[in-house]
């Protein structure tokens, strides 16, 4: 650990604090303020955690200014081109790329955990047929905690590992069942002869009436999108999982809290919101009008799929996705996709507009992911569910890392109290 410190002086009182400065493998230096309250009697204030690190992590690295994203040190561009989702899942969970035998064992374990308990199926019946699939996901994944509670000792690393395998394996099954419930079709059991992404497409689109073979281009596209969505360091949903887990809660309940956080349109819900926005814009002739709305501080309209808290140059995931968007649309969609044309034009107009340039607002991963999913016949309400399947391994890897961290403590931020000063209770008849 570095011995470098930073001295903080309160000019009013002359009190000082020597704050340790840490440096990770990459990234800027980090001032350690854990002793600040003890030494200076003050807290820090950072709503939205814009400048606050909450943990040490060796899983994912982002350099937002340079547009870099690494999983366990490997650049996302290389992984997207050469790897597959389950290998990435192994990498995120265990820290290194697997050798062949390790990968085969891992694939085998995941494949044999994909079924859900038959009684879990009855949970779906409690939801109205038109319930949003993300609402079903929050409920059903949370309910897994009832199936696996007494049997899990979260302080036992082997129990944690088994929970991780279960979550990664069962998430596609639950996700596909949410969709089948929506459209009133029977649930399709997992197929052990298919790989992770093909099996998911089979559970989504097969029916018991006829054979179904997933389109290899669709499998490739889902595999790529799952890789790009697999982890993204301390984003809102991952931080939610960590915070929930910091109280030593049941891991399935923690993942359900991550799904809830992901659902919002500022986070994973953006991919569904992008499609809604493109439909609302409707035609390239309306782009200027909507750009004006996005720039108007009094108008709540925002360009969905634009901007990112960390990426201020470009989102490397968006660059990769943009390239494959063409391939998927050319090979899968029957006709020219007007949404894609509209998206390209909107992107071009926004990238040349001073407002977006000044604020460093670039298309993010979800500007394109919905267009690809739509071409694969996945309905918009399932877009964020797809994100949740992919991100499960990230959430689980962070939960495992946190549970293994000897410095782990319950997460408990402080606040600036802005309520009434102390006052005395007044009996009801005297108010
Ligand atoms: N359209 C129009 N203006 C925007 C947008 C946008 N999409 N995003 C940010 N701005 C403006 C914002 O109004 C503010 O302007 P000003 O300085 O004049 O007040 C400035 O840019 C900074 O915005 P911010 O809200 O302070 O930035 P943030 O870091 O808190 O928010 C964000 C990041 C992603 C929530 C936001 O950019 C946004 O809402 N984007 C649209 C939703 C979206 O695409 N989310 C997906 C994120 S990527 C997937 C994931 O990993 O979850």
């Amino acid at each position: 650990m570095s011995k470098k410190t930073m001295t903080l002086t309160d000019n009013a009182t002359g009190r000082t604090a020597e704050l340790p400065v840490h440096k990770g493998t990459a990234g800027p230096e980090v001032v350690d303020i854990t002793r600040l309250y003890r030494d200076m009697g003050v807290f820090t204030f950072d709503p939205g955690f814009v400048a606050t690190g909450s943990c040490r992590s060796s899983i994912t690295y982002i350099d937002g200014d340079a547009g870099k994203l690494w999983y366990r040190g490997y650049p996302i561009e290389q992984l997207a081109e050469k790897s597959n989702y389950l290998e990435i899942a192994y990498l995120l969970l265990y820290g290194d790329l697997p050798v062949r035998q390790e990968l085969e064992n891992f694939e085998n374990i995941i494949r044999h955990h994909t079924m859900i308990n038959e009684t879990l199926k009855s949970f779906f019946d409690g939801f109205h047929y038109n319930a949003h699939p993300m609402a079903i996901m929050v409920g059903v994944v949370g309910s897994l905690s009832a199936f696996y509670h007494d049997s899990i000792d979260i302080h036992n690393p082997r129990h944690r590992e088994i929970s991780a395998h279960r979550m990664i394996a069962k998430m596609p099954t639950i996700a596909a069942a949410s969709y089948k419930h929506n459209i009133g079709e029977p649930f399709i059991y997992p197929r052990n002869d298919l790989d992770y992404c093909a099996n998911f497409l089979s559970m989504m689109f097969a029916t018991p009436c006829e054979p179904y073979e997933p389109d290899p281009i669709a499998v490739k596209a889902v595999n790529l999108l799952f890789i790009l969505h697999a982890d993204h360091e301390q984003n809102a949903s991952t931080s939610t999982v960590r915070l929930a887990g910091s109280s030593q809660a049941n891991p399935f309940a923690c993942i359900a809290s991550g799904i809830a956080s992901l659902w919002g349109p500022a986070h994973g819900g953006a991919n569904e919101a992008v499609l809604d926005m493109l439909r609302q814009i409707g035609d390239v002739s309306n782009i200027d009008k909507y750009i004006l709305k996005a720039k108007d501080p009094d108008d709540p309209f925002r360009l969905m799929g634009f901007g990112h808290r960390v990426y201020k140059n470009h989102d490397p995931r968006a660059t990769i996705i943009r390239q494959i968007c063409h391939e998927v649309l050319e090979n899968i969609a029957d006709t020219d996709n007007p949404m894609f044309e509209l998206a390209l034009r909107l992107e071009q107009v926004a990238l040349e507009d001073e407002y977006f340039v000044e604020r460093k607002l670039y298309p993010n991963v979800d500007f394109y992911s919905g267009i690809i999913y739509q071409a694969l016949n996945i309905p918009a309400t399932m877009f964020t569910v797809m994100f949740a399947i992919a991100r499960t391994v990230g959430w689980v890897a962070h939960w495992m890392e946190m549970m293994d961290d000897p410095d782990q403590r319950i997460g408990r931020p402080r606040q600036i109290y802005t309520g009434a000063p102390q006052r005395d209770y007044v009996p009801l008849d005297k108010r």
Side-chain angles (χ1 to χ4, degrees), residues 54-280:
S54 59
C55 59
R56 288 189 174 84
S57 182
S58 61
I59 301 173
T60 291
Y61 173 70
I62 301 175
D63 180 338
D65 294 323
K68 281 186 194 165
L69 168 62
W70 306 340
Y71 294 162
R72 300 285 190 184
Y74 296 100
I76 192 67
E77 293 79 4
Q78 291 181 26
L79 298 174
E81 190 191 332
K82 298 182 177 147
S83 188
N84 64 65
Y85 180 69
L86 274 195
E87 187 181 51
I88 296 295
Y90 185 99
L91 173 68
L92 290 169
L93 278 184
Y94 296 104
D96 285 306
L97 287 170
V99 298
R100 190 176 301 280
Q101 191 58 52
E102 286 169 331
L103 182 60
E104 280 172 14
N105 287 348
F106 183 66
E107 287 170 345
N108 203 33
I109 289 168
I110 297 299
R111 183 173 290 134
H112 288 95
H113 275 298
T114 48
M115 279 204 298
I116 50 176
N117 189 304
E118 284 295 296
T119 54
L120 190 72
K121 285 167 45 183
S122 60
F123 277 74
F124 289 85
D125 297 334
F127 290 95
H128 200 52
Y129 76 93
N130 62 357
H132 194 289
M134 279 300 275
I136 301 181
M137 292 294 287
V138 173
V140 175
V141 173
S143 79
L144 285 179
S145 55
F147 289 82
Y148 308 106
H149 187 64
D150 294 338
S151 59
I152 297 179
D153 172 6
I154 55 164
H155 301 293
N156 180 328
R158 178 68 188 129
H159 284 204
R160 297 202 289 268
E161 188 182 24
I162 296 169
S163 304
H165 294 159
R166 281 185 173 136
M167 279 185 269
I168 295 163
K170 291 182 198 313
M171 204 59 83
T173 315
I174 296 172
S178 310
Y179 172 63
K180 290 295 195 188
H181 179 75
N182 246 214
I183 58 170
E185 283 187 6
F187 297 166
I188 300 295
Y189 283 101
R191 266 177 56 184
N192 285 359
D193 61 319
L194 295 176
D195 74 18
Y196 192 83
C197 298
N199 178 44
F200 170 70
L201 289 173
S202 160
M203 292 188 290
M204 278 283 288
F205 296 119
T207 65
C209 318
E210 53 191 54
Y212 171 86
E213 281 312 314
D215 183 327
I217 296 170
V219 175
K220 189 177 156 197
V222 169
N223 181 59
L224 180 73
L225 284 162
F226 279 11
I227 291 175
L228 298 180
H229 273 146
D231 192 42
H232 214 225
E233 52 120 301
Q234 310 308 322
N235 55 84
S237 56
T238 303
S239 300
T240 303
V241 170
R242 277 184 177 263
L243 197 55
S246 77
S247 72
Q248 307 188 358
N250 179 290
F252 294 94
C254 296
I255 298 301
S257 73
I259 297 174
S261 168
L262 185 76
W263 191 4
H267 190 8
N271 51 14
E272 184 180 347
V274 168
L275 253 267
D276 290 343
M277 174 191 75
L278 292 175
R279 280 197 203 99
Q280 193 184 349

Side-chain angles (χ1 to χ4, degrees), residues 221 224-225 319-329 372:
L224 180 73
L225 284 162
T319 312
I320 297 168
I321 259 190
R322 193 178 191 276
Q323 285 161 0
I324 73 137
C325 221
H326 278 290
E327 192 192 336
V328 171
L329 293 173
I372 298 179

Side-chain angles (χ1 to χ4, degrees), residues 229 232 235 262 265-268 270 274 294-295 301-310 312 315 317 355-356 359 361 364-366 387 391:
H229 273 146
H232 214 225
N235 55 84
L262 185 76
H267 190 8
V274 168
K295 297 192 306 189
F301 179 81
R302 275 193 162 196
L303 223 48
M304 299 315 287
F306 262 76
H308 197 274
R309 168 62 61 77
V310 183
K312 300 298 177 197
D315 178 342
R317 303 167 303 172
Y355 172 96
F356 291 90
R359 288 167 181 74
L361 299 169
N364 58 52
V365 64
D366 286 325
F387 194 157
R391 185 55 58 84

